[in-house]
Amino acid sequence: MNTQKVTIADVAKRAGVSKGLVSFALNDRPGVSPETRTRILAVAGDLGWKPSLRARSLSTRRSFALGLVVARNPEVLGSDPFFPSFIAGVESILSDRGQALVLSVVPSEEAEIRSYRQLVDDGRVDGVFLTDLRHDDPRIPLLTELGLPAVTLGRPDGPSPFPAVSIDDTPGIAESVAYLARLGHRRIAHIAGSSTMLHGTRRRDAFEAALCTAGLPLGQTIETDFSVAAGSDATRRLLTREDAPTAIVYANDPMAIAGLGVAHELGIRVPDELSITGFDDIDFSRYVYPPLTTVSATPVVWGRAAATTLLALIETGAADDVNLPAARLIIRGSAAAPAHTRKSAT
Amino acid sequence: MNTQKVTIADVAKRAGVSKGLVSFALNDRPGVSPETRTRILAVAGDLGWKPSLRARSLSTRRSFALGLVVARNPEVLGSDPFFPSFIAGVESILSDRGQALVLSVVPSEEAEIRSYRQLVDDGRVDGVFLTDLRHDDPRIPLLTELGLPAVTLGRPDGPSPFPAVSIDDTPGIAESVAYLARLGHRRIAHIAGSSTMLHGTRRRDAFEAALCTAGLPLGQTIETDFSVAAGSDATRRLLTREDAPTAIVYANDPMAIAGLGVAHELGIRVPDELSITGFDDIDFSRYVYPPLTTVSATPVVWGRAAATTLLALIETGAADDVNLPAARLIIRGSAAAPAHTRKSAT
DNA sequence: CTGAAAGCGCTTACAG
DNA sequence: CTGAAAGCGCTTACAG
């Protein structure tokens, strides 16, 4: 209950020094003799002094907080565990360093821009995480103009003054396609994410490149917004066609799980009559039936790395890009040799 | 780029008044003539003055931010869309009121307590949301001691000085059981959430009461931690028993979806041979097959109400409890008459 | 209705 | 190595 009662002045008086010196001792700055420093710190401890963050903020013009503004629509936000995990990773770094996370969830791109401006106008944060990178992402020039440090998750497609923390998702898609091709599939489709998102396009490009590598004809691709609903619709369209694919590579797990539902509904057995692969390895993926063959993702690791990088950037003014281990294929039960291959093998 | 350059002193000088008066005008306090106020505000507008939140924080001892600390384990956090939606609801209120949300995700109960203490030591927030209420929740005495305003989601089982914003989930469970009983089920089991959580116990109690109302014998109940993995295990245990139930009422959708997977794996058809119901109506629930009969939840509405209440409490020092509309049963495809009933009906 | 001053609790040149 | 003072940009009694 005594909290916030004792101030730097109390410590100074009790230690018989000036407030300035207490501040120097606290911040480990040169100009205080070791003995004096020790004495000051001891007095501070005795008194239970907790330096006021608000006062420090005012004089240092720092907020000791990092920001994350999320502009996903509520549905895809809810069915995708990326953010909870990413945030858990971020927090594991921040909590030990006395930093806080300010989270903003906004419904539109306009609201997103307003949110960033508000954050800097209010001096709420010292830097932000840029997730879900888009093509020619408007946030990069915006933050540059605002002078707010940032770290991007993945490398932007335009010029960027910010360090990037990346996980290459190309190998995961490539492995998925190669695996399906090896099983004997020739009509492989892709249910892609939004083409406004960098990772939507990148996974799609990886899919097409992998098809090419495997010597397979170009497959059908349907673009979605990454939502469960869109994944469901796209699957239905694909499966009710004349030349329905025998395998579908999904750009994320939630859509793949929805696809599983559609297949069940249509009486198409997975993996016997249809193979599917996902992306992200969300918790659900191993508990649906059949368990989903998918690509691992490590959002917690990404969160830690991004937080570490952003903090370094803020403190030192510079930080290197970091490349995290690529996502890999995890083979479970949702893919198998296509029906005709099986028949001819019998 | 001019941001944060112009201060209250500039406005005062330009308007020919004292800083104090500018402050009064800004805060709509009595003691400024209408003309003067208008003139001051006009000057402020011209100059593009944005009052410094940091300076206001220091002198008012307020942070203009609200806190949410989440202590769920990463898995259940990720598969349950409650938090993203709840937060979206909270933000929709906060953003218009110049408030920010500081989010803390912690791995343990000790870390949780430390997090709250840190939040008040640093004066990061003016109040917090208490979610996932537990029995004899230690956070209530803790926050009382710390003097931090809070709002609870649901009513605690012990004494609490804080307003509660509640959604009664009892009717939803009661309706689920009544519906299954009406379909002809007599062996209905419950896969419950954690008994340390108030909503885990409450749903379980509602289940047992509903069974009683329906004149059915006490069903089997298995307690879990609400996770997908636990829901899967519990379902397997139930279905491989001699006296396997013909229907299962799950305490949340993620577990019900895992249950669907187990049933598929065991070759038990849903709903023909097994009926299941969920709780929460998460986005996935309508896209699995068969689509899940479940109970609606409105986390966004809950978020708005909780934010409104907490802000009222902080500003006026008091706020009333609020009761939101109860969750209701949503009938989809995962429940039907039990197999033997069907047979005898043929 | 208005002004001048002190205060919120730190940090940071500037002297010594 | 140390002290006294000014400053960060607001708010808030206190006088008039």
Side-chain angles (χ1 to χ4, degrees):
Chain A
M1 300 269 58
N2 235 342
T3 333
Q4 307 295 47
K5 281 306 205 176
V6 22
T7 74
I8 196 171
D10 301 316
V11 177
K13 191 186 306 171
R14 178 79 160 270
V17 299
S18 70
K19 293 189 306 173
L21 208 52
V22 176
S23 175
F24 274 49
L26 171 70
N27 295 306
D28 262 335
R29 309 233 308 205
V32 191
S33 72
E35 307 83 65
T36 312
R37 178 193 310 281
T38 310
R39 184 163 47 88
I40 290 173
L41 262 25
V43 170
D46 285 355
L47 261 36
W49 176 53
K50 323 228 168 166
S52 157
L53 188 76
R54 295 205 258 252
R56 301 186 74 183
S57 284
L58 183 58
S59 42
T60 61
R61 297 154 190 280
R62 277 198 54 183
S63 54
F64 307 98
L66 269 24
L68 174 62
V69 1
V70 177
R72 290 197 184 181
N73 76 54
E75 285 78 40
V76 348
L77 225 202
S79 51
D80 186 344
F82 173 81
F83 278 103
S85 300
F86 175 75
I87 289 174
V90 167
E91 293 277 3
S92 70
I93 300 296
L94 298 199
S95 60
D96 292 335
R97 319 248 317 237
Q99 304 280 130
L101 179 69
V102 173
L103 176 66
S104 180
V105 174
V106 297
S108 66
E109 192 170 329
E110 300 77 61
E112 181 184 35
I113 303 222
R114 258 181 281 130
S115 186
Y116 282 109
R117 289 193 181 280
Q118 195 71 50
L119 245 25
V120 339
D121 282 350
D122 290 347
R124 291 271 192 194
V125 298
D126 300 323
V128 291
F129 299 99
L130 253 38
T131 61
D132 286 339
L133 245 40
R134 305 192 288 268
H135 289 284
D136 293 318
D137 203 305
R139 294 172 294 177
I140 292 178
L142 173 67
L143 295 176
T144 306
E145 172 204 331
L146 296 175
L148 187 65
V151 56
T152 59
L153 266 64
R155 225 173 313 282
D157 57 351
S160 164
F162 305 120
V165 177
S166 314
I167 294 185
D168 189 2
D169 45 14
T170 301
I173 293 285
E175 284 177 40
S176 299
V177 172
Y179 173 64
L180 291 169
R182 229 179 305 129
L183 287 172
H185 291 275
R186 295 194 52 80
R187 285 203 313 286
I188 307 177
H190 180 47
I191 294 190
S194 167
S195 67
T196 60
M197 306 284 220
L198 245 47
H199 64 296
T201 311
R202 201 170 47 227
R203 289 175 194 177
R204 179 184 182 147
D205 290 349
F207 170 75
E208 291 176 353
L211 235 37
C212 181
T213 302
L216 293 178
L218 243 171
Q220 304 173 71
T221 293
I222 299 188
E223 179 180 335
T224 71
D225 61 358
F226 277 118
S227 74
V228 177
S232 176
D233 288 350
T235 304
R236 194 179 308 278
R237 269 160 61 199
L238 238 31
L239 295 184
T240 51
R241 278 184 189 171
E242 282 286 299
D243 57 341
T246 62
I248 304 177
V249 172
Y250 288 84
N252 72 2
D253 280 359
M255 294 198 294
I257 291 172
L260 214 49
V262 171
H264 275 140
E265 180 190 337
L266 298 177
I268 296 169
R269 286 171 319 168
V270 177
D272 302 316
E273 300 172 286
L274 174 70
S275 287
I276 72 179
T277 66
F279 201 105
D280 281 346
D281 190 25
I282 70 175
D283 201 33
F284 271 125
S285 66
R286 76 183 67 204
Y287 295 103
V288 292
Y289 189 77
L292 204 58
T293 289
T294 187
V295 176
S296 69
T298 46
V300 175
V301 173
W302 216 351
R304 300 183 115 89
T308 305
T309 301
L310 184 49
L311 252 17
L313 173 63
I314 291 168
E315 274 152 27
T316 72
D320 289 330
D321 284 0
V322 0
N323 290 300
L324 267 10
R328 313 307 301 230
L329 182 65
I330 297 174
I331 295 177
R332 288 203 272 253
S334 64
H340 66 272
T341 307
R342 185 163 320 208
K343 268 185 213 123
S344 63
T346 316
Chain B
M1 302 271 59
N2 234 342
T3 332
Q4 307 297 46
K5 282 305 206 177
V6 21
T7 76
I8 196 172
D10 301 316
V11 177
K13 191 188 304 171
R14 178 78 160 270
V17 299
S18 70
K19 294 190 305 176
L21 208 52
V22 176
S23 176
F24 274 49
L26 172 70
N27 295 305
D28 263 337
R29 309 233 307 203
V32 192
S33 73
E35 306 83 64
T36 312
R37 177 193 311 281
T38 310
R39 184 162 48 89
I40 291 174
L41 262 25
V43 171
D46 285 356
L47 260 37
W49 176 53
K50 321 227 169 167
S52 158
L53 189 75
R54 294 205 257 253
R56 300 186 74 185
S57 284
L58 183 58
S59 42
T60 60
R61 298 152 190 280
R62 278 199 52 182
S63 55
F64 306 98
L66 268 24
L68 174 62
V69 1
V70 177
R72 289 197 186 185
N73 77 53
E75 285 78 41
V76 348
L77 226 202
S79 51
D80 186 343
F82 173 81
F83 278 104
S85 300
F86 175 75
I87 289 173
V90 167
E91 293 278 4
S92 70
I93 300 295
L94 298 199
S95 61
D96 292 335
R97 318 247 319 235
Q99 304 280 131
L101 178 69
V102 352
L103 176 66
S104 180
V105 174
V106 296
S108 66
E109 193 170 328
E110 300 77 62
E112 181 184 34
I113 302 223
R114 258 181 281 129
S115 186
Y116 282 109
R117 291 193 181 279
Q118 195 71 49
L119 247 23
V120 339
D121 281 351
D122 290 348
R124 291 272 191 191
V125 298
D126 300 323
V128 292
F129 299 97
L130 252 39
T131 61
D132 286 340
L133 244 40
R134 306 192 288 268
H135 289 283
D136 293 317
D137 203 305
R139 295 172 294 177
I140 292 178
L142 174 67
L143 295 176
T144 305
E145 171 205 332
L146 296 173
L148 187 65
V151 57
T152 59
L153 267 63
R155 225 172 312 281
D157 58 350
S160 163
F162 306 121
V165 176
S166 314
I167 294 185
D168 188 2
D169 45 16
T170 301
I173 294 284
E175 284 176 41
S176 300
V177 172
Y179 173 65
L180 291 169
R182 228 178 307 127
L183 287 172
H185 292 275
R186 296 194 50 81
R187 284 203 312 287
I188 307 177
H190 180 47
I191 294 190
S194 167
S195 67
T196 61
M197 306 284 220
L198 245 45
H199 64 297
T201 311
R202 201 170 46 226
R203 288 175 195 177
R204 179 184 183 147
D205 291 347
F207 170 74
E208 292 176 353
L211 235 38
C212 180
T213 301
L216 292 178
L218 244 172
Q220 304 173 68
T221 295
I222 299 187
E223 180 179 334
T224 70
D225 61 358
F226 277 120
S227 75
V228 177
S232 176
D233 288 351
T235 304
R236 195 180 309 278
R237 270 162 58 202
L238 238 30
L239 295 183
T240 52
R241 279 184 187 169
E242 281 286 299
D243 56 340
T246 62
I248 304 177
V249 171
Y250 288 84
N252 72 1
D253 280 358
M255 295 198 293
I257 291 172
L260 215 49
V262 171
H264 275 139
E265 181 191 338
L266 298 178
I268 296 170
R269 286 170 319 167
V270 177
D272 303 315
E273 300 172 285
L274 174 70
S275 287
I276 72 178
T277 66
F279 202 106
D280 281 346
D281 190 26
I282 70 175
D283 201 34
F284 272 124
S285 66
R286 76 182 69 202
Y287 294 103
V288 292
Y289 189 78
L292 203 58
T293 290
T294 186
V295 176
S296 70
T298 47
V300 175
V301 173
W302 217 352
R304 301 183 114 90
T308 305
T309 301
L310 185 50
L311 253 16
L313 173 63
I314 291 167
E315 275 152 27
T316 72
D320 289 329
D321 284 0
V322 0
N323 289 300
L324 268 9
R328 312 308 301 232
L329 181 65
I330 297 175
I331 295 176
R332 288 204 272 254
S334 64
H340 66 272
T341 306
R342 187 163 319 209
K343 269 185 213 121
S344 66
T346 315

